[in-house]
Structure formats: structure tokens, C-alpha cells
Amino acid sequence: PDCPSHTRHIMTDVSRGDTSSASAALAGPSPFGECLPDVPPPLVPPLGVFSRMATLGVVAGFSKFIVSVLNKATTSNYETLLHHMTERKRPQGMITVSNHSSTFDDPGVLSFLIPWWYFATEPKHEGVRWTICTAEICAASPAVHAFFTAGKTVPINRGGGLHQATLTAMADRIAKGDWVHVFPEGKVSKNANELGRLKWGLGKLLCDVDEVGGLAPVVIPFWHSGMDSVKKYGRWGFWPFNRVHVTVGTPIDFTDLTRKCKKCDTQKKKEALYAAMMKRTEAEMRVTREKNLRERQEV
């Protein structure tokens, strides 16, 4: 028998009007200001596309100014990310994974990597990344929650486990061809350029996409360095005249692992599968980190 899953259905697509849903437990969305484990987060902000474009535009402009004007930002292998960001054949989705060294990594680094023209054409393609944030921050109040939703950021409960409706909602977006960015460490690292223990959320997303019948998403790792100097840990404000360097890695092939998602017969086996996925992710992230640090020394 297949493994138990909370994603045997395609949940309500509140952002595109699809009202198919087979689970009352996942009826929603939840109210702004709340992050309920069994109810999906709202994906459409108040005022709809107007507030989304205003928020993305203002945040992207501010972030690009901080990262690439007050500081110097460089990339390598950027064409790989840009190609899959803008030219992949949807409904194939995309997941990017990166280290997390600053509370400003997203929107800072992500805004730097996304071209202005792609932000400007968001109503046409709806391809700007989704990301996940701890509910303590991005659902602190109804107004704060609405702001983050406009910026395509959804809350999740820290320590709430894998079976949260937010992960199901993001798997649904990926299955429909969207891009989701994940910080697999699940928190900001206090030690720059060190990779902490990776949580299993990425593995859960990959299996959930497979189990709802979505195409296997392209998974791209990247490593950035220097953001810990731009936005120092535990301190307010931004520091100029630093160098931020982003190294885009090689897409990770999970085909041999995702084909096992429906075949496990115990939760223990499913968890072992998630662990194998994260071990592969960790290996590729470490390779990308070494390239990043080497490139910083060469320039």
C-alpha cells in the first residue's frame, strides 16, 4: 500500500479559482494573522494583484539597492537559474534551496537574482518565487500577514512538523508550475558559510508533488556569501561596502528517489526516504559552497 499522505487530493487553489478539494480539514484559507496547522494559508492578498505588484515592486527595489548598490553583488552560473526561472516549460515547477546566513537573505538575495522585467511581468506569468517564513514573524498580526502574503510569503509553525497545511499548499503550487524557495536548515545560521542540519521539508515537498500527480520539479541549489556582513545577526540596520557572491549549482536529480514516494508501506520508510533526499541535497550544497568560497578568493 502507498504511504499515508495528506496530499491525495488537489487542494483548493485560492489563487486561480480552482475549487476542487476533498478534505474539510484543509478547507480555507485561514484568516490573516493566524497560522493553523490543518488549514492552508491565504495566497491572495487584500486588493489582489494591485497589492501584490506594489509590494513586490517596493520590496524588490529596496532589496536590490541594499545588495547591489550599497554593496557589490556578483554571481556565477547564473544562466542556469535564469533559464529555469524564465524558460522552463510549465506546469513543471521549480524549487531552489540555499544556505541561510542572514534574516535578509530573502528578500535580499532573491530580489538580486530575479530580473526587474520578471518582477514587472508577474501578473502575466505569476512566476516570482513563493517562500516560507516562521509564523512568529510573517503572521504576527493580520496587517503583517497580509503584507507578507502580497510578497508571496506564507507562514509555517516553527517546530510544527511535516504535516502542516502550508507545506501541502506549497506542494500544490509546485505541482501547478510555480517556483518555491526553501531554506532547508529552517533557521538562520550564526556561523557564516557553515551548513547546519537539514530538515526534511524538501523531501516532503518532493513526495507530495509526486503524489498529487505533478511533474517532477527542477531543484537548483545555490550558495551565497557575504550577507552576514550586510545584515549582521541580531542587529538592526544594513552595512554597506561588502561583497555578496552567489554561486548557482547544478540541478539535483531526485528521479530515483521520488519514484519510491508511493511505494513505502510505513512512516519509518517514508522518513528514511526523506533523509536520503536531504543527504543528496546536503552533498550538492556543500559542493556549491566550496565553489563559492573558491570564487571569492579568485576575484
Side-chain angles (χ1 to χ4, degrees):
D2 292 353
C3 285
S5 172
H6 294 277
T7 57
R8 297 279 177 222
H9 55 81
I10 298 292
M11 52 179 287
T12 301
D13 183 359
V14 295
S15 68
R16 295 183 184 174
D18 181 358
T19 58
S20 61
S21 177
S23 173
L26 286 177
S30 63
F32 286 108
E34 295 186 25
C35 183
L36 306 175
D38 297 326
V39 181
L43 302 182
V44 179
L47 303 181
V49 68
F50 175 80
S51 57
R52 174 145 293 161
M53 291 304 295
T55 302
L56 290 176
V58 170
V59 172
F62 175 77
S63 300
K64 286 177 179 288
F65 177 76
I66 295 293
V67 173
S68 56
V69 176
L70 290 184
N71 295 277
K72 179 181 179 181
T74 55
T75 64
S76 69
N77 195 33
Y78 176 65
E79 60 277 4
T80 295
L81 176 62
L82 183 63
H83 169 76
H84 288 288
M85 182 195 310
T86 63
E87 299 181 31
R88 75 182 183 281
K89 293 183 178 180
R90 297 166 78 177
Q92 182 185 33
M94 180 169 79
I95 303 174
T96 50
V97 295
S98 76
N99 59 310
H100 202 4
S101 62
S102 160
T103 55
F104 195 60
D105 291 343
D106 193 347
V109 175
L110 273 296
S111 294
F112 164 65
L113 292 173
I114 300 172
W116 263 123
W117 68 264
Y118 202 62
F119 277 116
T121 54
E122 165 69 7
K124 179 179 179 180
H125 54 70
E126 297 184 349
V128 170
R129 68 91 190 94
W130 289 95
T131 194
I132 301 170
C133 168
T134 176
E136 299 167 5
I137 295 174
C138 62
S141 71
V144 169
H145 193 173
F147 170 78
F148 276 96
T149 298
K152 302 187 76 171
T153 302
V154 293
I156 195 166
N157 290 296
R158 189 193 303 271
L162 292 174
H163 300 294
Q164 297 191 54
T166 290
L167 286 177
T168 304
M170 290 299 96
D172 188 60
R173 300 302 340 136
I174 297 165
K176 287 179 168 62
D178 285 3
W179 166 21
V180 173
H181 180 72
V182 175
F183 293 108
E185 294 169 279
K187 61 180 181 180
V188 176
S189 174
K190 297 181 181 179
N191 299 310
N193 295 318
E194 292 295 327
L195 184 63
R197 175 184 174 274
L198 305 189
K199 299 182 181 295
W200 291 348
L202 173 61
K204 179 72 161 53
L205 285 174
L206 290 171
C207 279
D208 282 359
V209 171
D210 179 75
E211 291 179 20
V212 299
L215 295 174
V218 58
V219 181
I220 301 177
F222 66 83
W223 190 276
H224 59 85
S225 54
M227 284 299 294
D228 60 302
S229 297
V230 174
K231 178 64 174 69
K232 300 179 186 294
Y233 188 87
R235 299 178 65 180
W236 289 94
F238 301 94
W239 274 256
F241 313 126
N242 300 287
R243 182 188 174 203
V244 175
H245 182 59
V246 183
T247 301
V248 178
T250 302
I252 308 172
D253 184 5
F254 289 99
T255 305
D256 60 316
L257 296 177
T258 54
R259 67 165 58 107
K260 300 177 182 179
C261 289
K262 297 177 182 177
K263 297 179 180 179
C264 61
D265 55 8
T266 66
Q267 186 63 25
K268 185 176 181 179
K269 289 182 179 179
K270 179 63 75 72
E271 292 174 354
L273 180 59
Y274 296 158
M277 291 174 171
M278 300 320 298
K279 182 177 181 180
R280 184 170 300 179
T281 303
E282 179 181 352
E284 291 300 323
M285 290 184 69
R286 291 189 182 280
V287 168
T288 308
R289 178 189 65 179
E290 295 309 310
K291 289 181 180 178
N292 180 277
L293 298 180
R294 187 166 60 248
E295 290 165 355
R296 286 188 71 94
Q297 295 175 350
E298 292 172 352
V299 177

